[in-house]
Amino acid sequence: MVKPFVPQLVYVEPRALEYDLGKQLVAKFEDMGIEIRETTSHNQIRNLPGENHFQKYRIAKSTLVVGIRKTLKFDTSKPSAEYAIPFATGCMGHCHYCYLQTTMGSKPYIRTYVNVDEIFDAAEEYMKERAPEMTRFEASCTSDIVGVDHLTHTLKRAIEYFGQSELGQLRFVTKFAHVDHLLDANHNGRTRFRFSINDSYVIKYFEPGTSRLDDRIEAAKKVAESEYPLGFIVAPIYLHEGWKEGYKEMFEKLEATLPAHARKDLTFEMIQHRFTKPAKRVIQENYPMTKLELDESKRKWKWGKYGIGKYVYTSEEQEDIKDTLGSYIHHYFPEAKIEYFT
Ligand code: SF4
């Protein structure tokens, strides 16, 4: 089982020490004997250990910055929510296809923000703006928040905060099974707890540093037993030899483990594998030995955000994915809702 994340190195921004959480985290890391360095701002971090890009990248991904979220303007987060709520950025996982490699560029370290109440206040304003409509907040757009939450408990506070709100809902997704501290959170059914799942082949070859499928499913079972609304994101759906069998096995395992009551309010989101040209360059630099198939000529080109085209599966392949996985979901979980395929 993948162990809960422990940073190798911690940076602290001085202003973070004005907040209780900042002080608590520094005391905790001191107790754990972890090296702590000060930095005026995360942008000033230039001297990370490591002799070459490969080493520096890996050390950065096990470095935690305790800082302040300055921008309290939230990004939109379609199609799963109205807004992205920023509690952390970066991730300790090493998924070869991960989009954070491009979005975080030369700063792949993990940052946790300690001005949590200010983030909640900003969320409150967004909720007021949309009232009486419900506003959904997605907490895992720029990180795998569960992966770091056993240290910070920020997500737990957010779950309880939205549990008390009238017009807000929280959702997040994770590939980590370290959920025990979240099980007794007072969620009031207002948080949808989602797990990102994939077949054994994809997890084995492309998702190092994350919890294995069986552990994620066991964690999902515990989450369901704690009465959270539950969901799964099957992503990225990746075509490899034997994919139909691989995904079938994945759904079979899920079916064998989930408690009956959880199947009534269950959601599935399906996202096919895609890449952009800039992402392909970064992936090949960070994971030079990857088996990930990134051949543009086998894919269909599709307009993407900011004019950067992405390569998706061909229309026929997409139909095949939708039919195949859709039929598995209908077969094993007839009451579940498929939210989208993209
Ligand atoms: Fe990226 Fe998610 Fe993998 Fe972390 S767990 S590296 S956020 S895909």
Side-chain angles (χ1 to χ4, degrees), residues 12-30:
V12 185
E13 295 175 4
R15 275 196 55 209
L17 296 171
E18 294 167 17
Y19 296 81
D20 286 346
L21 179 58
K23 285 183 224 155
Q24 284 163 17
L25 286 174
V26 168
K28 181 193 291 241
F29 295 133
E30 272 170 1

mmCIF file with all atom_site columns, all heavy atoms in Angstrom, residues 12-30:
data_model
loop_
_atom_site.group_PDB
_atom_site.id
_atom_site.type_symbol
_atom_site.label_atom_id
_atom_site.label_alt_id
_atom_site.label_comp_id
_atom_site.label_asym_id
_atom_site.label_entity_id
_atom_site.label_seq_id
_atom_site.pdbx_PDB_ins_code
_atom_site.Cartn_x
_atom_site.Cartn_y
_atom_site.Cartn_z
_atom_site.occupancy
_atom_site.B_iso_or_equiv
_atom_site.pdbx_formal_charge
_atom_site.auth_seq_id
_atom_site.auth_comp_id
_atom_site.auth_asym_id
_atom_site.auth_atom_id
_atom_site.pdbx_PDB_model_num
ATOM 1   N N   . VAL A 1 12 ? 8.427  27.557 4.103  1.00 0.00 ? 12 VAL A N   1
ATOM 2   C CA  . VAL A 1 12 ? 7.362  28.328 4.759  1.00 0.00 ? 12 VAL A CA  1
ATOM 3   C C   . VAL A 1 12 ? 7.463  29.776 4.334  1.00 0.00 ? 12 VAL A C   1
ATOM 4   O O   . VAL A 1 12 ? 8.547  30.377 4.381  1.00 0.00 ? 12 VAL A O   1
ATOM 5   C CB  . VAL A 1 12 ? 7.493  28.270 6.301  1.00 0.00 ? 12 VAL A CB  1
ATOM 6   C CG1 . VAL A 1 12 ? 6.315  28.975 6.948  1.00 0.00 ? 12 VAL A CG1 1
ATOM 7   C CG2 . VAL A 1 12 ? 7.562  26.846 6.769  1.00 0.00 ? 12 VAL A CG2 1
ATOM 8   N N   . GLU A 1 13 ? 6.343  30.334 3.905  1.00 0.00 ? 13 GLU A N   1
ATOM 9   C CA  . GLU A 1 13 ? 6.307  31.770 3.632  1.00 0.00 ? 13 GLU A CA  1
ATOM 10  C C   . GLU A 1 13 ? 6.031  32.466 4.964  1.00 0.00 ? 13 GLU A C   1
ATOM 11  O O   . GLU A 1 13 ? 5.141  32.017 5.718  1.00 0.00 ? 13 GLU A O   1
ATOM 12  C CB  . GLU A 1 13 ? 5.186  32.092 2.638  1.00 0.00 ? 13 GLU A CB  1
ATOM 13  C CG  . GLU A 1 13 ? 5.409  31.471 1.266  1.00 0.00 ? 13 GLU A CG  1
ATOM 14  C CD  . GLU A 1 13 ? 4.231  31.687 0.311  1.00 0.00 ? 13 GLU A CD  1
ATOM 15  O OE1 . GLU A 1 13 ? 3.259  32.380 0.684  1.00 0.00 ? 13 GLU A OE1 1
ATOM 16  O OE2 . GLU A 1 13 ? 4.294  31.143 -0.809 1.00 0.00 ? 13 GLU A OE2 1
ATOM 17  N N   . PRO A 1 14 ? 6.762  33.548 5.300  1.00 0.00 ? 14 PRO A N   1
ATOM 18  C CA  . PRO A 1 14 ? 6.615  34.164 6.627  1.00 0.00 ? 14 PRO A CA  1
ATOM 19  C C   . PRO A 1 14 ? 5.174  34.524 6.961  1.00 0.00 ? 14 PRO A C   1
ATOM 20  O O   . PRO A 1 14 ? 4.737  34.326 8.098  1.00 0.00 ? 14 PRO A O   1
ATOM 21  C CB  . PRO A 1 14 ? 7.486  35.419 6.552  1.00 0.00 ? 14 PRO A CB  1
ATOM 22  C CG  . PRO A 1 14 ? 8.288  35.305 5.321  1.00 0.00 ? 14 PRO A CG  1
ATOM 23  C CD  . PRO A 1 14 ? 7.746  34.218 4.459  1.00 0.00 ? 14 PRO A CD  1
ATOM 24  N N   . ARG A 1 15 ? 4.401  34.990 5.996  1.00 0.00 ? 15 ARG A N   1
ATOM 25  C CA  . ARG A 1 15 ? 3.022  35.400 6.312  1.00 0.00 ? 15 ARG A CA  1
ATOM 26  C C   . ARG A 1 15 ? 2.155  34.219 6.742  1.00 0.00 ? 15 ARG A C   1
ATOM 27  O O   . ARG A 1 15 ? 1.148  34.390 7.418  1.00 0.00 ? 15 ARG A O   1
ATOM 28  C CB  . ARG A 1 15 ? 2.391  36.111 5.109  1.00 0.00 ? 15 ARG A CB  1
ATOM 29  C CG  . ARG A 1 15 ? 2.741  37.599 5.094  1.00 0.00 ? 15 ARG A CG  1
ATOM 30  C CD  . ARG A 1 15 ? 1.831  38.354 4.158  1.00 0.00 ? 15 ARG A CD  1
ATOM 31  N NE  . ARG A 1 15 ? 0.419  38.160 4.444  1.00 0.00 ? 15 ARG A NE  1
ATOM 32  C CZ  . ARG A 1 15 ? -0.536 38.222 3.520  1.00 0.00 ? 15 ARG A CZ  1
ATOM 33  N NH1 . ARG A 1 15 ? -0.228 38.449 2.258  1.00 0.00 ? 15 ARG A NH1 1
ATOM 34  N NH2 . ARG A 1 15 ? -1.797 38.052 3.852  1.00 0.00 ? 15 ARG A NH2 1
ATOM 35  N N   . ALA A 1 16 ? 2.563  33.018 6.337  1.00 0.00 ? 16 ALA A N   1
ATOM 36  C CA  . ALA A 1 16 ? 1.792  31.826 6.719  1.00 0.00 ? 16 ALA A CA  1
ATOM 37  C C   . ALA A 1 16 ? 1.800  31.654 8.230  1.00 0.00 ? 16 ALA A C   1
ATOM 38  O O   . ALA A 1 16 ? 0.884  31.061 8.808  1.00 0.00 ? 16 ALA A O   1
ATOM 39  C CB  . ALA A 1 16 ? 2.359  30.597 6.026  1.00 0.00 ? 16 ALA A CB  1
ATOM 40  N N   . LEU A 1 17 ? 2.846  32.192 8.880  1.00 0.00 ? 17 LEU A N   1
ATOM 41  C CA  . LEU A 1 17 ? 2.954  32.040 10.330 1.00 0.00 ? 17 LEU A CA  1
ATOM 42  C C   . LEU A 1 17 ? 2.001  32.958 11.085 1.00 0.00 ? 17 LEU A C   1
ATOM 43  O O   . LEU A 1 17 ? 1.889  32.885 12.307 1.00 0.00 ? 17 LEU A O   1
ATOM 44  C CB  . LEU A 1 17 ? 4.403  32.273 10.772 1.00 0.00 ? 17 LEU A CB  1
ATOM 45  C CG  . LEU A 1 17 ? 5.364  31.223 10.204 1.00 0.00 ? 17 LEU A CG  1
ATOM 46  C CD1 . LEU A 1 17 ? 6.804  31.597 10.459 1.00 0.00 ? 17 LEU A CD1 1
ATOM 47  C CD2 . LEU A 1 17 ? 5.064  29.843 10.793 1.00 0.00 ? 17 LEU A CD2 1
ATOM 48  N N   . GLU A 1 18 ? 1.307  33.834 10.360 1.00 0.00 ? 18 GLU A N   1
ATOM 49  C CA  . GLU A 1 18 ? 0.284  34.678 11.002 1.00 0.00 ? 18 GLU A CA  1
ATOM 50  C C   . GLU A 1 18 ? -1.022 33.890 11.192 1.00 0.00 ? 18 GLU A C   1
ATOM 51  O O   . GLU A 1 18 ? -1.976 34.387 11.770 1.00 0.00 ? 18 GLU A O   1
ATOM 52  C CB  . GLU A 1 18 ? 0.008  35.920 10.144 1.00 0.00 ? 18 GLU A CB  1
ATOM 53  C CG  . GLU A 1 18 ? 1.213  36.854 10.052 1.00 0.00 ? 18 GLU A CG  1
ATOM 54  C CD  . GLU A 1 18 ? 1.044  37.914 8.970  1.00 0.00 ? 18 GLU A CD  1
ATOM 55  O OE1 . GLU A 1 18 ? -0.104 38.138 8.510  1.00 0.00 ? 18 GLU A OE1 1
ATOM 56  O OE2 . GLU A 1 18 ? 2.070  38.483 8.574  1.00 0.00 ? 18 GLU A OE2 1
ATOM 57  N N   . TYR A 1 19 ? -1.074 32.692 10.652 1.00 0.00 ? 19 TYR A N   1
ATOM 58  C CA  . TYR A 1 19 ? -2.302 31.881 10.736 1.00 0.00 ? 19 TYR A CA  1
ATOM 59  C C   . TYR A 1 19 ? -2.043 30.662 11.615 1.00 0.00 ? 19 TYR A C   1
ATOM 60  O O   . TYR A 1 19 ? -0.942 30.083 11.578 1.00 0.00 ? 19 TYR A O   1
ATOM 61  C CB  . TYR A 1 19 ? -2.727 31.415 9.333  1.00 0.00 ? 19 TYR A CB  1
ATOM 62  C CG  . TYR A 1 19 ? -3.099 32.571 8.433  1.00 0.00 ? 19 TYR A CG  1
ATOM 63  C CD1 . TYR A 1 19 ? -2.118 33.316 7.787  1.00 0.00 ? 19 TYR A CD1 1
ATOM 64  C CD2 . TYR A 1 19 ? -4.436 32.931 8.260  1.00 0.00 ? 19 TYR A CD2 1
ATOM 65  C CE1 . TYR A 1 19 ? -2.460 34.397 6.983  1.00 0.00 ? 19 TYR A CE1 1
ATOM 66  C CE2 . TYR A 1 19 ? -4.780 34.009 7.454  1.00 0.00 ? 19 TYR A CE2 1
ATOM 67  C CZ  . TYR A 1 19 ? -3.790 34.731 6.814  1.00 0.00 ? 19 TYR A CZ  1
ATOM 68  O OH  . TYR A 1 19 ? -4.124 35.795 6.027  1.00 0.00 ? 19 TYR A OH  1
ATOM 69  N N   . ASP A 1 20 ? -3.077 30.260 12.369 1.00 0.00 ? 20 ASP A N   1
ATOM 70  C CA  . ASP A 1 20 ? -2.906 29.112 13.270 1.00 0.00 ? 20 ASP A CA  1
ATOM 71  C C   . ASP A 1 20 ? -2.437 27.871 12.528 1.00 0.00 ? 20 ASP A C   1
ATOM 72  O O   . ASP A 1 20 ? -1.552 27.159 12.985 1.00 0.00 ? 20 ASP A O   1
ATOM 73  C CB  . ASP A 1 20 ? -4.243 28.772 13.962 1.00 0.00 ? 20 ASP A CB  1
ATOM 74  C CG  . ASP A 1 20 ? -4.562 29.801 15.026 1.00 0.00 ? 20 ASP A CG  1
ATOM 75  O OD1 . ASP A 1 20 ? -3.647 30.574 15.383 1.00 0.00 ? 20 ASP A OD1 1
ATOM 76  O OD2 . ASP A 1 20 ? -5.730 29.837 15.481 1.00 0.00 ? 20 ASP A OD2 1
ATOM 77  N N   . LEU A 1 21 ? -3.055 27.628 11.382 1.00 0.00 ? 21 LEU A N   1
ATOM 78  C CA  . LEU A 1 21 ? -2.687 26.425 10.637 1.00 0.00 ? 21 LEU A CA  1
ATOM 79  C C   . LEU A 1 21 ? -1.211 26.454 10.216 1.00 0.00 ? 21 LEU A C   1
ATOM 80  O O   . LEU A 1 21 ? -0.523 25.433 10.273 1.00 0.00 ? 21 LEU A O   1
ATOM 81  C CB  . LEU A 1 21 ? -3.595 26.263 9.395  1.00 0.00 ? 21 LEU A CB  1
ATOM 82  C CG  . LEU A 1 21 ? -3.306 25.065 8.511  1.00 0.00 ? 21 LEU A CG  1
ATOM 83  C CD1 . LEU A 1 21 ? -3.396 23.741 9.281  1.00 0.00 ? 21 LEU A CD1 1
ATOM 84  C CD2 . LEU A 1 21 ? -4.266 25.019 7.307  1.00 0.00 ? 21 LEU A CD2 1
ATOM 85  N N   . GLY A 1 22 ? -0.742 27.628 9.830  1.00 0.00 ? 22 GLY A N   1
ATOM 86  C CA  . GLY A 1 22 ? 0.673  27.774 9.459  1.00 0.00 ? 22 GLY A CA  1
ATOM 87  C C   . GLY A 1 22 ? 1.572  27.389 10.632 1.00 0.00 ? 22 GLY A C   1
ATOM 88  O O   . GLY A 1 22 ? 2.526  26.615 10.483 1.00 0.00 ? 22 GLY A O   1
ATOM 89  N N   . LYS A 1 23 ? 1.236  27.915 11.817 1.00 0.00 ? 23 LYS A N   1
ATOM 90  C CA  . LYS A 1 23 ? 2.049  27.617 13.014 1.00 0.00 ? 23 LYS A CA  1
ATOM 91  C C   . LYS A 1 23 ? 1.989  26.127 13.350 1.00 0.00 ? 23 LYS A C   1
ATOM 92  O O   . LYS A 1 23 ? 3.000  25.498 13.648 1.00 0.00 ? 23 LYS A O   1
ATOM 93  C CB  . LYS A 1 23 ? 1.528  28.423 14.222 1.00 0.00 ? 23 LYS A CB  1
ATOM 94  C CG  . LYS A 1 23 ? 1.915  29.886 14.155 1.00 0.00 ? 23 LYS A CG  1
ATOM 95  C CD  . LYS A 1 23 ? 1.436  30.585 15.422 1.00 0.00 ? 23 LYS A CD  1
ATOM 96  C CE  . LYS A 1 23 ? 0.811  31.908 15.047 1.00 0.00 ? 23 LYS A CE  1
ATOM 97  N NZ  . LYS A 1 23 ? -0.140 32.470 15.920 1.00 0.00 ? 23 LYS A NZ  1
ATOM 98  N N   . GLN A 1 24 ? 0.776  25.580 13.274 1.00 0.00 ? 24 GLN A N   1
ATOM 99  C CA  . GLN A 1 24 ? 0.622  24.151 13.607 1.00 0.00 ? 24 GLN A CA  1
ATOM 100 C C   . GLN A 1 24 ? 1.440  23.270 12.661 1.00 0.00 ? 24 GLN A C   1
ATOM 101 O O   . GLN A 1 24 ? 2.080  22.312 13.083 1.00 0.00 ? 24 GLN A O   1
ATOM 102 C CB  . GLN A 1 24 ? -0.836 23.723 13.472 1.00 0.00 ? 24 GLN A CB  1
ATOM 103 C CG  . GLN A 1 24 ? -1.736 24.175 14.586 1.00 0.00 ? 24 GLN A CG  1
ATOM 104 C CD  . GLN A 1 24 ? -3.210 24.063 14.175 1.00 0.00 ? 24 GLN A CD  1
ATOM 105 O OE1 . GLN A 1 24 ? -3.556 23.384 13.214 1.00 0.00 ? 24 GLN A OE1 1
ATOM 106 N NE2 . GLN A 1 24 ? -4.069 24.763 14.889 1.00 0.00 ? 24 GLN A NE2 1
ATOM 107 N N   . LEU A 1 25 ? 1.411  23.620 11.389 1.00 0.00 ? 25 LEU A N   1
ATOM 108 C CA  . LEU A 1 25 ? 2.120  22.777 10.416 1.00 0.00 ? 25 LEU A CA  1
ATOM 109 C C   . LEU A 1 25 ? 3.627  22.839 10.636 1.00 0.00 ? 25 LEU A C   1
ATOM 110 O O   . LEU A 1 25 ? 4.317  21.817 10.592 1.00 0.00 ? 25 LEU A O   1
ATOM 111 C CB  . LEU A 1 25 ? 1.766  23.192 8.981  1.00 0.00 ? 25 LEU A CB  1
ATOM 112 C CG  . LEU A 1 25 ? 0.367  22.790 8.522  1.00 0.00 ? 25 LEU A CG  1
ATOM 113 C CD1 . LEU A 1 25 ? 0.056  23.375 7.149  1.00 0.00 ? 25 LEU A CD1 1
ATOM 114 C CD2 . LEU A 1 25 ? 0.211  21.268 8.474  1.00 0.00 ? 25 LEU A CD2 1
ATOM 115 N N   . VAL A 1 26 ? 4.122  24.042 10.909 1.00 0.00 ? 26 VAL A N   1
ATOM 116 C CA  . VAL A 1 26 ? 5.564  24.156 11.140 1.00 0.00 ? 26 VAL A CA  1
ATOM 117 C C   . VAL A 1 26 ? 5.957  23.342 12.378 1.00 0.00 ? 26 VAL A C   1
ATOM 118 O O   . VAL A 1 26 ? 6.943  22.600 12.363 1.00 0.00 ? 26 VAL A O   1
ATOM 119 C CB  . VAL A 1 26 ? 5.976  25.648 11.272 1.00 0.00 ? 26 VAL A CB  1
ATOM 120 C CG1 . VAL A 1 26 ? 7.396  25.778 11.792 1.00 0.00 ? 26 VAL A CG1 1
ATOM 121 C CG2 . VAL A 1 26 ? 5.854  26.324 9.910  1.00 0.00 ? 26 VAL A CG2 1
ATOM 122 N N   . ALA A 1 27 ? 5.149  23.441 13.445 1.00 0.00 ? 27 ALA A N   1
ATOM 123 C CA  . ALA A 1 27 ? 5.460  22.673 14.658 1.00 0.00 ? 27 ALA A CA  1
ATOM 124 C C   . ALA A 1 27 ? 5.437  21.174 14.353 1.00 0.00 ? 27 ALA A C   1
ATOM 125 O O   . ALA A 1 27 ? 6.312  20.411 14.778 1.00 0.00 ? 27 ALA A O   1
ATOM 126 C CB  . ALA A 1 27 ? 4.456  23.009 15.755 1.00 0.00 ? 27 ALA A CB  1
ATOM 127 N N   . LYS A 1 28 ? 4.460  20.759 13.581 1.00 0.00 ? 28 LYS A N   1
ATOM 128 C CA  . LYS A 1 28 ? 4.343  19.342 13.235 1.00 0.00 ? 28 LYS A CA  1
ATOM 129 C C   . LYS A 1 28 ? 5.573  18.863 12.444 1.00 0.00 ? 28 LYS A C   1
ATOM 130 O O   . LYS A 1 28 ? 6.155  17.822 12.746 1.00 0.00 ? 28 LYS A O   1
ATOM 131 C CB  . LYS A 1 28 ? 3.075  19.138 12.384 1.00 0.00 ? 28 LYS A CB  1
ATOM 132 C CG  . LYS A 1 28 ? 2.841  17.689 11.977 1.00 0.00 ? 28 LYS A CG  1
ATOM 133 C CD  . LYS A 1 28 ? 1.780  17.547 10.892 1.00 0.00 ? 28 LYS A CD  1
ATOM 134 C CE  . LYS A 1 28 ? 0.399  17.875 11.359 1.00 0.00 ? 28 LYS A CE  1
ATOM 135 N NZ  . LYS A 1 28 ? -0.559 16.789 11.263 1.00 0.00 ? 28 LYS A NZ  1
ATOM 136 N N   . PHE A 1 29 ? 5.994  19.653 11.448 1.00 0.00 ? 29 PHE A N   1
ATOM 137 C CA  . PHE A 1 29 ? 7.129  19.221 10.630 1.00 0.00 ? 29 PHE A CA  1
ATOM 138 C C   . PHE A 1 29 ? 8.437  19.268 11.415 1.00 0.00 ? 29 PHE A C   1
ATOM 139 O O   . PHE A 1 29 ? 9.326  18.456 11.197 1.00 0.00 ? 29 PHE A O   1
ATOM 140 C CB  . PHE A 1 29 ? 7.205  20.043 9.340  1.00 0.00 ? 29 PHE A CB  1
ATOM 141 C CG  . PHE A 1 29 ? 6.006  19.817 8.439  1.00 0.00 ? 29 PHE A CG  1
ATOM 142 C CD1 . PHE A 1 29 ? 5.322  20.883 7.859  1.00 0.00 ? 29 PHE A CD1 1
ATOM 143 C CD2 . PHE A 1 29 ? 5.549  18.532 8.189  1.00 0.00 ? 29 PHE A CD2 1
ATOM 144 C CE1 . PHE A 1 29 ? 4.204  20.670 7.054  1.00 0.00 ? 29 PHE A CE1 1
ATOM 145 C CE2 . PHE A 1 29 ? 4.437  18.307 7.381  1.00 0.00 ? 29 PHE A CE2 1
ATOM 146 C CZ  . PHE A 1 29 ? 3.771  19.378 6.820  1.00 0.00 ? 29 PHE A CZ  1
ATOM 147 N N   . GLU A 1 30 ? 8.525  20.218 12.355 1.00 0.00 ? 30 GLU A N   1
ATOM 148 C CA  . GLU A 1 30 ? 9.713  20.246 13.229 1.00 0.00 ? 30 GLU A CA  1
ATOM 149 C C   . GLU A 1 30 ? 9.777  18.958 14.041 1.00 0.00 ? 30 GLU A C   1
ATOM 150 O O   . GLU A 1 30 ? 10.812 18.315 14.120 1.00 0.00 ? 30 GLU A O   1
ATOM 151 C CB  . GLU A 1 30 ? 9.655  21.454 14.176 1.00 0.00 ? 30 GLU A CB  1
ATOM 152 C CG  . GLU A 1 30 ? 10.276 22.691 13.554 1.00 0.00 ? 30 GLU A CG  1
ATOM 153 C CD  . GLU A 1 30 ? 10.005 23.951 14.364 1.00 0.00 ? 30 GLU A CD  1
ATOM 154 O OE1 . GLU A 1 30 ? 9.343  23.863 15.440 1.00 0.00 ? 30 GLU A OE1 1
ATOM 155 O OE2 . GLU A 1 30 ? 10.436 25.012 13.913 1.00 0.00 ? 30 GLU A OE2 1
#
